[in-house]
Amino acid sequence: MNIPNLLSLLRLAMVPVFAAVFFLPDPSARYWAAAVYALAFATDIADGYIARRFNQITRLGRILDPLADKMMTFTVIICIAAAGIIPIWAVVVFFLKEAAMGVGALSLYHKVDDVISANWLGKASTGFFFVVCAALVLFPAIPRKWATVLISLALALTIAAFVRYLWQYLSLMGKRRS
C-alpha cells in the first residue's frame, strides 16, 4: 500500500460523505458538499502526480483510482439529478458510458492483465465534468435549461473520451489477434 493508493481509498470513503452532506437540510450543506467534492478531486490530482513522479504506479492503483473517480462522479450526478437540477437522462447516459468503460476495462484486464492508461482527453473530460458538477452543486437555482446545457456539454466531452478509449481498446485487441 502506498500514498497514491491510500488517496484513492480516501476518495472512495468520501463518496457516502458527499451524498450525506448534499442532502442535509442545512442552508450551507451544498457548500460543504462542494468542498467534499473538491477535496476528492484534489486527491485524484495528487494521487496521479505522486504515482507518476515517484514511480509508485501499481496494478491496484490502476484499478482503485478510476473506480474512486467514477464512484464519486456517479454519486454527484445522481444527487444533482435527484435534486431536480438536471434531467434523469443525463444519469442514464453517464451510467451507460461508464458501464461500457467498465466492461471494456474488465475485458482488457482479463485478456492482457492490464488496463488502458488515462489519456489527455480523458483527463480533460474529468476536469470539465468536475467543474460543471461543482457549479451545479453550488448553484442549484441555475435555470434548468442552462443546467441541462452544461451537463450535456460535459457528457459530450466524456463520450468523446470514451470514443478515444474505445479506439485504443480496439487497436490493442486487433494487435493481439495478429
Side-chain angles (χ1 to χ4, degrees), residues 9 14 30 38-40 54 62 69 71 91 116 150 164 167 171 177:
L9 288 171
M14 284 190 264
R30 297 289 171 92
L39 180 60
F54 298 102
R62 291 184 70 175
D69 295 345
M71 292 296 294
V91 177
I116 295 172
L150 288 172
R164 173 79 172 119
W167 181 80
S171 176
R177 289 186 185 129

Side-chain angles (χ1 to χ4, degrees), residues 27-100:
S28 64
R30 297 289 171 92
Y31 297 110
W32 288 108
V36 170
Y37 189 33
L39 180 60
F41 189 69
T43 65
D44 182 28
I45 293 168
D47 80 45
Y49 174 78
I50 293 167
R52 285 186 295 278
R53 175 77 168 87
F54 298 102
N55 196 27
Q56 294 185 356
I57 297 170
T58 65
R59 288 173 49 132
L60 177 62
R62 291 184 70 175
I63 294 168
L64 270 182
D65 177 58
L67 175 65
D69 295 345
K70 301 316 174 197
M71 292 296 294
M72 179 58 81
T73 305
F74 195 55
T75 299
V76 171
I77 197 171
I78 287 173
C79 289
I80 59 179
I85 299 167
I86 60 169
I88 196 71
W89 63 257
V91 177
V92 173
V93 169
F94 184 79
F95 175 78
L96 291 173
K97 179 258 183 192
E98 290 304 325

Side-chain angles (χ1 to χ4, degrees), residues 6-23:
L6 289 173
L7 288 171
S8 291
L9 288 171
L10 174 62
R11 197 161 55 260
L12 275 171
M14 284 190 264
V15 170
V17 173
F18 172 87
V21 172
F22 182 88
F23 289 111

